[in-house]
Amino acid sequence: MHRVRHFSTGMTGLSKNLFVDIKLPTGKSIQQPIGLYINGEWVTSEKMIETICPYTETPITSVYAATEKEVDQAVKAARNAFKAWKKVPGEERAKMLFKLARLTEEHVDELASIEAIDTGKPKDFNAKADVDGTAALMEHCGGWADKIVGSAIPVSHNKFAYTIKEPLGVVGLIVPWNYPLSMAAWKIAPALAAGNCIVIKSAENTPLSLLKYATLIEKAGFPPGVVNIVSGYGAECGNAISSHPNIDKVSFTGSTGVGQVVQQAASNNLKVVTLECGGKSPLIVFEDADLEQAAKWASFGVMYNSGQNCTANSRLYVHEKVYDEFILIYKATILADYPMGDPFDADSRLGPVISKIQFDKVSAYIEKGKQEGATLVLGNESVPSPGYWIAPTVFADCNESMTVVKEEIFGPVVTISKFLSQEEVLEKANNSDYGLAAMVFTKDIARAHQCASELEAGSVYINSSNDEDIRVPFGGYKMSGVGRELGQEGIDIYTQTKSIHVNLGVKM
Amino acid sequence: MRYYASLPLSVKVKLPHGIEYDQPTGLFINNEFVPSISGKTFSVISPSTEEEITHVYEAVSEDVDAAVDAAEKAFKNSGWATADPSQRVSGLLKLADLVEEHAEVLASIESLDNGKSLMNARGDIALSAAYYRSCAGWCDKIDGRNINTGSTHLSYTKREPIGVCGQIIPWNFPQLMLSWKLGPALATGNTVVLKTAESTPLSALYLAKLVKEAGIPAGVVNIISGFGKTAGEAIAIHPRIRKVAFTGSTATGRHIMKRAAESNLKKVTLELGGKSPNIVFNDCNVKNAVQNLIVSIFYNSGEVCCAGSRIYCQSGIYDELLSEFKTAIEAVKIGDPFNEATFQGSQTSQQQLDKILGYIEKGKAEGATLVAGGERFGTKGFFIKPTVFGNVTEDMGVVKEEIFGPVVTITKFETVDEVIEKANDSEYGLAAGVHTEDINKAVDVSNRLHAGTVWVNTYSDFHTSVPFGGFNQSGFGREMGTEALDNYTQVKAVRIKISPKSA
């Protein structure tokens, strides 16, 4: 439970400062903003959120939290900035995004360090990759900014029509705690490339890296009000965004449950909604699969980031013929490749889960799995202390009636079930309200592509897992989400089409 | 022509406004400057002073071979075509930034070598940097399609680079034409052997230094100085060059296409000449129209492929427009390119000067009326006064043939149908201008003109995202816009049979 500090005069320490110094384990100090970034300025509010370091269980600092009032200020700033911003040509937006990409590269170490402290993810193995990915996405979307074209439709010699892909205006972005900076980039980059102004809220668990990033956004030359960054609680701040009558679109990444709340709240002014929600992605290992590679990818797909990954391959289906062999290899791979340890230790591959709440939730699922009769293949390794550590947990001999096979756990926990036929496994794989990703391991090219076409998932990986590329669209079928991010489609969802009809001589 | 025993690979050149810089003189092959194999060099003249600037090494066919070897190796092994395209993004972005950093030197070299005003040259450099930057954004977006042909097959297309591309650029916009060629070719993963025009080799060699500094791998870009009949020919017939892109005269373009066909059917795109009509309607904004006329034919001393070299003015506005036009011409400042107030610099060479003066004589001989200009300006430097011929008929040489200088004809017309017929009565079809405040007329006339670009109430008004190229004998293929990428890719279709096995 986060402790919320309400400020009054007389309180020492953080009261009116908008920046604090965070000392890294390496000895270096980073200046961390703690205010709200609205209209190009750092401002305070009446509320604060304390952010806890998941591997020490102690507070890092507190940051100012936005209430409805500050959200409204931010929207006003964005709306005002949009008047001029919408006239800025694409190549100018491109230049700023390219500059932001370079600035991101120059500050990798700093940003990765903050991310590691705030999320507990290993700095070298995880956080650094997140920041590199952020830089790459800014550059990629910069390349789109001057290439957003409409169509010219030659209707007849008396009439001509053309379309313009306009920005939506002010977009509200709500991002999660599993990849704080990276998920923010997935939204900020295309929104800016398409010419929108932004109000973005970080997750209450992980406000720091995005606030730090605001300093780079400013340096890159984005005018005040174009990007506004607020920390805040979902119920208050997130809701203020989803239901704001002067926001044109809300894009949300988080749990399916909250996604539904966002979608409903957004209906007040029919703002556009895109959602990236939960998943329970099936990974299928056929009898002709390269088992060592399948084990490597299947480990990566559910242990990376401590399984706190919407596309985690959290349920495996392994063909009967290779079932026992695979499990042995899989267990060994996880033990070898995912040592837990201090995030600032270059050898660490696995951090704690993000919070006490998540720790309790995941632990409860593990208990449930045991109760439901699954075989515990891996799960009792000792964990570091303090910290919200959960040891990699593998359940085998699972079946479709088990909760651990059906529900999203969002931790380093995976189930393995046996299957006999392609038809059977596809049915089981698709028997879910989720549909974010699916993975198929086989050498048979025909089978691979057939399965890919039959799996009800927004991303299908053939012989890999969680192998995203910023150029390839990403998103969910069914209750895993609405809309696609990344690729050209990721840019399109931040535009709206205006059709312009030109009468060249049609008379009534 | 002097012959150097051994010309240094870099010479110091002092620019008229004081800046001194290091001018490479070699052939740029494999990211290094090398002498020509024969040691041959040729002279480079400053057309605004008629003085020699320097010599540069001259490439002939054996040097072209060396460049092709380098380009081929780079295509196969450097990773430029095959590695993560973000490498190409990075290289082109860095090149764009470097061009901007070195903008003043590049613009100055351009003015010195080509004779264009520094103001024009700066504009060229800015456009070329913007184009490299725009192309950078394309590198990782060259997608094919997945085509639904039913469940039995996986059918998709790939857009692959062609390989070693030969590129031959002209002397009127050395840097800008360089960017129009390098940008899309490199963005799509090709490697190039590019020959500059013999009149204007200098700025490209300077840019070659920036190519290396940008981290573009050796052999990806090879730039050689040389003559059309030798080096250009060698490119057109080379068996290992799979594509040639040429900008220049229609006659040379035709020749290159023949050679390309005879040798190895290499793919060809051509940006050739034009005799673009500039149509002024009664309901135009006269002041704006006049400004656009000035730009369309006197900008860059008329050495522009899409110059609006025949004006058609509707009778109702003719006298007023002509009077305003003459007044505006008198205000055109012609002279030293390095004078900040100069609009019109010199023609690029003695050859061009002679050709244009020849056409002026022809116009007079054909019975046209000289309304403005009509002679050389000054005694030193290849300057020609802005020249206007009136009372012309459609069959006159000055109305039909491309003059490529600051010489324009003006003809009166009555109706829309009449002017469209006259405008389209040309073997060319590069551009056209339409000046009217009636948007419906503008769109209608644009629809009916046979030209690759129609400008309405503006002229020579380019944008990196808008394609440019010719109809008819003005060429084929488009530069800039997404269309430019098509020039440098070929489509591979892949069909994989994935029918279900039984049981």
Side-chain angles (χ1 to χ4, degrees):
Chain A
M1 196 52 215
H2 293 289
R3 304 200 304 276
V4 175
R5 295 220 191 134
H6 293 275
F7 268 75
S8 56
T9 53
M11 202 72 154
T12 58
L14 299 166
S15 50
K16 288 305 172 196
N17 285 337
L18 290 163
F19 298 87
V20 297
D21 281 325
I22 295 184
K23 193 144 181 224
L24 297 177
T26 56
K28 185 174 162 201
S29 245
I30 297 180
Q31 191 188 56
Q32 169 67 46
I34 59 167
L36 306 171
Y37 184 68
I38 298 178
N39 212 21
E41 282 169 15
W42 292 101
V43 299
T44 61
S45 65
E46 284 172 2
K47 234 182 206 179
M48 293 196 96
I49 300 176
E50 188 174 63
T51 181
I52 309 285
C53 173
Y55 62 94
T56 62
E57 299 184 45
T58 58
I60 306 167
T61 182
S62 291
V63 300
Y64 287 95
T67 64
E68 209 176 306
K69 176 170 151 223
E70 286 81 27
V71 167
D72 200 52
Q73 264 172 21
V75 173
K76 278 200 175 72
R79 184 60 64 191
N80 197 43
F82 186 62
K83 291 183 202 140
W85 184 240
K86 70 179 176 190
K87 299 197 178 119
V88 172
E91 51 265 28
E92 292 304 315
R93 298 198 300 271
K95 268 191 179 154
M96 291 176 211
L97 284 163
F98 291 141
K99 185 147 186 224
L100 183 54
R102 278 196 299 282
L103 287 167
T104 308
E105 280 161 6
E106 284 161 25
H107 289 84
V108 171
D109 196 76
E110 213 174 47
L111 289 165
S113 301
I114 293 170
E115 198 80 309
I117 290 179
D118 209 5
T119 64
K121 64 174 77 193
K123 181 192 161 201
D124 286 336
F125 189 61
N126 292 54
K128 196 172 168 300
D130 290 1
V131 184
D132 286 339
T134 296
L137 190 56
M138 292 304 161
E139 188 170 88
H140 178 79
C141 289
W144 275 121
D146 66 336
K147 300 173 176 67
I148 300 176
V149 296
S151 318
I153 304 143
V155 178
S156 74
H157 79 279
N158 257 343
K159 185 181 163 81
F160 159 60
Y162 65 97
T163 63
I164 308 181
K165 306 279 280 273
E166 297 194 344
L168 289 157
V170 176
V171 299
L173 312 176
I174 302 172
V175 297
W177 44 257
N178 56 347
Y179 297 88
L181 185 61
S182 186
M183 288 296 101
W186 279 33
K187 298 200 191 311
I188 291 174
L192 290 177
N196 298 279
C197 289
I198 292 171
V199 175
I200 178 167
K201 177 190 105 57
S202 54
E204 52 254 41
N205 284 321
T206 53
L208 300 182
S209 57
L210 189 55
L211 290 175
K212 186 69 179 168
Y213 204 62
T215 62
L216 300 187
I217 290 173
E218 193 172 70
K219 242 182 172 170
F222 290 96
V226 169
V227 181
N228 303 278
I229 296 175
V230 296
S231 316
Y233 287 100
E236 183 170 27
C237 176
N239 192 58
I241 290 174
S242 310
S243 63
H244 202 289
N246 209 6
I247 281 182
D248 301 296
K249 173 196 166 93
V250 62
S251 175
F252 167 85
T253 297
S255 70
T256 292
V258 178
Q260 287 172 294
V261 171
V262 168
Q263 193 168 47
Q264 281 163 40
S267 67
N268 65 338
N269 69 335
L270 277 190
K271 58 174 73 57
V272 176
V273 180
T274 52
L275 306 171
E276 294 282 357
C277 297
K280 189 74 180 184
S281 303
L283 185 150
I284 303 169
V285 181
F286 281 100
E287 68 274 25
D288 66 342
D290 178 335
L291 293 185
E292 263 183 54
Q293 279 299 302
K296 286 244 178 230
W297 284 107
S299 311
F300 174 67
V302 77
M303 297 304 163
Y304 187 79
N305 215 47
S306 310
Q308 298 172 125
N309 199 342
C310 47
T311 47
N313 51 245
S314 42
R315 47 180 177 126
L316 310 189
Y317 294 91
V318 182
H319 193 276
E320 176 191 52
K321 284 206 182 90
V322 292
Y323 186 78
D324 295 326
E325 193 188 347
F326 176 81
I327 290 179
L328 282 174
I329 299 174
Y330 192 50
K331 179 178 172 180
T333 305
I334 291 174
L335 281 171
D337 290 353
Y338 292 90
M340 288 174 274
D342 183 310
F344 283 82
D345 180 347
D347 295 326
S348 295
R349 294 280 179 271
L350 195 66
V353 296
I354 192 73
S355 65
K356 181 82 171 57
I357 293 179
Q358 286 304 114
F359 177 84
D360 290 340
K361 194 167 156 216
V362 176
S363 305
Y365 271 115
I366 293 173
E367 274 317 300
K368 195 89 199 260
K370 290 175 188 167
Q371 283 163 26
E372 287 177 330
T375 306
L376 192 68
V377 167
L378 191 61
N380 287 325
E381 311 309 303
S382 63
V383 300
S385 179
Y388 309 121
W389 300 92
I390 294 188
T393 304
V394 180
F395 284 113
D397 306 328
C398 298
N399 60 60
E400 297 298 299
S401 67
M402 294 179 181
T403 318
V404 287
V405 174
K406 283 261 153 284
E407 293 179 25
E408 186 180 38
I409 299 174
F410 223 69
V413 181
V414 63
T415 66
I416 308 183
S417 309
K418 198 185 289 193
F419 77 93
L420 286 119
S421 78
Q422 178 173 325
E423 214 185 303
E424 171 205 347
V425 75
L426 287 176
E427 200 189 312
K428 285 179 173 154
N430 287 336
N431 184 17
S432 170
D433 284 334
Y434 291 118
L436 193 50
M439 301 80 178
V440 180
F441 284 83
T442 177
K443 291 192 184 103
D444 182 336
I445 199 173
R447 173 157 64 192
H449 290 284
Q450 281 157 35
C451 287
S453 82
E454 292 200 43
L455 283 161
E456 291 161 9
S459 295
V460 180
Y461 297 93
I462 294 176
N463 292 326
S464 73
S465 177
N466 281 264
D467 191 17
E468 291 104 50
D469 188 291
I470 57 181
R471 295 163 285 216
V472 182
F474 175 98
Y477 275 37
K478 304 191 273 191
M479 293 186 78
S480 284
V482 174
R484 293 290 173 272
E485 297 192 299
L486 306 180
Q488 182 167 18
E489 303 199 22
I491 302 280
D492 287 345
I493 59 165
Y494 284 97
T495 65
Q496 51 189 343
T497 300
K498 174 184 288 174
S499 297
I500 297 176
H501 300 250
V502 186
N503 186 351
L504 301 176
V506 177
K507 298 221 188 298
M508 288 292 289
Chain B
M1 250 199 279
R2 277 180 286 159
Y3 230 66
Y4 276 82
S6 66
L7 174 68
L9 286 168
S10 179
V11 298
K12 286 225 179 290
V13 173
K14 188 129 187 241
L15 293 157
H17 53 12
I19 299 177
E20 199 181 59
Y21 75 98
D22 292 315
Q23 171 66 51
T25 62
L27 309 175
F28 184 70
I29 297 177
N30 250 344
N31 273 12
E32 298 302 331
F33 290 101
V34 295
S36 55
I37 293 170
S38 66
K40 208 154 178 264
T41 67
F42 64 96
S43 175
V44 185
I45 307 288
S46 161
S48 58
T49 61
E50 301 183 44
E51 286 161 12
E52 183 181 271
I53 306 169
T54 179
H55 268 233
V56 295
Y57 280 100
E58 179 188 337
V60 294
S61 73
E62 53 192 355
D63 305 289
V64 170
D65 279 339
V68 173
D69 283 344
E72 203 172 46
K73 272 204 190 73
F75 184 67
K76 289 192 184 131
N77 304 331
S78 73
W80 187 250
T82 51
D84 191 315
S86 60
Q87 181 197 24
R88 302 202 294 273
V89 175
S90 179
L92 283 169
L93 280 181
K94 282 206 186 85
L95 183 60
D97 287 344
L98 285 167
V99 168
E100 279 173 354
E101 252 175 68
H102 293 249
E104 196 59 13
V105 177
L106 277 167
S108 305
I109 301 172
E110 201 81 320
S111 284
L112 185 67
D113 202 3
N114 166 282
K116 65 175 72 195
S117 67
L118 197 52
M119 174 177 87
N120 282 14
R122 286 187 186 121
D124 292 358
I125 303 307
L127 266 178
S128 69
Y131 191 53
Y132 290 127
R133 189 169 287 119
S134 187
C135 287
W138 277 121
C139 300
D140 60 347
K141 301 173 178 65
I142 313 294
D143 297 341
R145 297 181 292 142
N146 175 53
I147 303 149
N148 189 343
T149 63
S151 62
T152 55
H153 288 74
L154 168 64
S155 306
Y156 63 95
T157 60
K158 285 187 67 189
R159 294 169 67 194
E160 303 194 341
I162 297 173
V164 177
C165 298
Q167 305 181 314
I168 302 170
I169 62 174
W171 39 258
N172 57 346
F173 291 89
Q175 275 297 297
L176 189 59
M177 293 298 100
L178 184 65
S179 71
W180 285 16
K181 299 270 180 287
L182 289 186
L186 297 183
T188 47
N190 298 279
T191 58
V192 314
V193 174
L194 184 144
K195 182 192 94 63
T196 51
E198 52 260 35
S199 311
T200 54
L202 300 184
S203 63
L205 293 176
Y206 189 93
L207 185 113
K209 291 198 280 191
L210 305 183
V211 165
K212 184 172 181 178
E213 204 183 320
I216 294 170
V220 171
V221 176
N222 304 279
I223 295 176
I224 56 177
S225 318
F227 290 79
K229 287 196 163 61
T230 46
E233 183 79 1
I235 288 174
I237 64 173
H238 205 286
R240 284 178 290 133
I241 288 180
R242 290 292 173 191
K243 185 242 159 56
V244 64
F246 167 81
T247 298
S249 72
T250 295
T252 307
R254 184 175 287 115
H255 175 85
I256 287 179
M257 191 167 168
K258 265 194 222 151
R259 288 289 182 262
E262 285 160 359
S263 53
N264 65 343
L265 261 191
K266 56 176 65 62
K267 296 165 193 8
V268 178
T269 47
L270 304 172
E271 293 282 355
L272 306 175
K275 190 74 180 183
S276 303
N278 216 341
I279 305 170
V280 184
F281 287 98
N282 287 340
D283 57 1
C284 73
N285 176 318
V286 175
K287 204 150 170 262
N288 291 348
V290 166
Q291 274 319 297
N292 287 317
L293 294 184
I294 296 283
V295 166
S296 76
I297 187 61
F298 302 124
Y299 178 80
N300 215 50
S301 315
E303 294 176 337
V304 183
C305 46
C306 54
S309 44
R310 341 170 237 153
I311 300 170
Y312 294 94
C313 185
Q314 203 165 23
S315 59
I317 199 102
Y318 185 89
D319 293 333
E320 186 189 342
L321 184 99
L322 188 54
S323 163
E324 299 274 335
F325 190 37
K326 278 162 77 175
T327 307
I329 286 172
E330 277 151 34
V332 168
K333 199 149 187 330
I334 171 175
D336 175 16
F338 285 86
N339 184 327
E340 296 275 351
T342 298
F343 174 78
Q344 184 182 326
S346 70
Q347 309 309 128
T348 299
S349 66
Q350 176 80 60
Q351 202 183 13
Q352 287 305 114
L353 178 84
D354 293 340
K355 190 168 160 212
I356 297 162
L357 290 175
Y359 269 111
I360 291 175
E361 288 316 302
K362 186 161 191 183
K364 289 182 199 162
E366 287 175 321
T369 305
L370 204 53
V371 171
E375 60 189 358
R376 196 170 168 173
F377 173 87
T379 50
K380 194 170 97 133
F382 311 129
F383 296 91
I384 295 181
K385 291 183 184 167
T387 301
V388 182
F389 277 114
N391 291 328
V392 295
T393 54
E394 291 298 296
D395 57 346
M396 287 184 184
V398 289
V399 176
K400 278 265 160 293
E401 295 167 41
E402 187 180 38
I403 299 173
F404 222 68
V407 179
V408 68
T409 61
I410 180 163
T411 303
K412 204 183 287 191
F413 75 92
E414 299 296 335
T415 67
V416 172
D417 287 346
E418 174 200 345
V419 75
I420 286 180
E421 201 187 313
K422 289 193 161 119
N424 286 340
D425 181 20
S426 170
E427 271 308 302
Y428 291 116
L430 193 49
V434 177
H435 305 275
T436 174
E437 297 289 281
D438 175 352
I439 196 169
N440 284 2
K441 180 155 64 198
V443 174
D444 178 50
V445 169
S446 305
N447 286 349
R448 295 161 66 184
L449 285 167
H450 297 159
T453 297
V454 180
W455 282 299
V456 179
N457 295 336
T458 183
Y459 208 93
S460 284
D461 192 356
F462 297 97
H463 189 275
T464 55
S465 302
V466 180
F468 177 84
F471 279 30
N472 303 339
Q473 297 203 41
S474 284
F476 44 83
R478 291 291 174 270
E479 299 199 286
M480 302 202 291
T482 63
E483 289 80 353
L485 306 170
D486 294 338
N487 296 349
Y488 291 97
T489 53
Q490 45 194 353
V491 174
K492 172 184 286 174
V494 181
R495 293 204 82 206
I496 305 177
K497 193 133 199 293
I498 58 169
S499 303
K501 292 196 177 120
S502 48

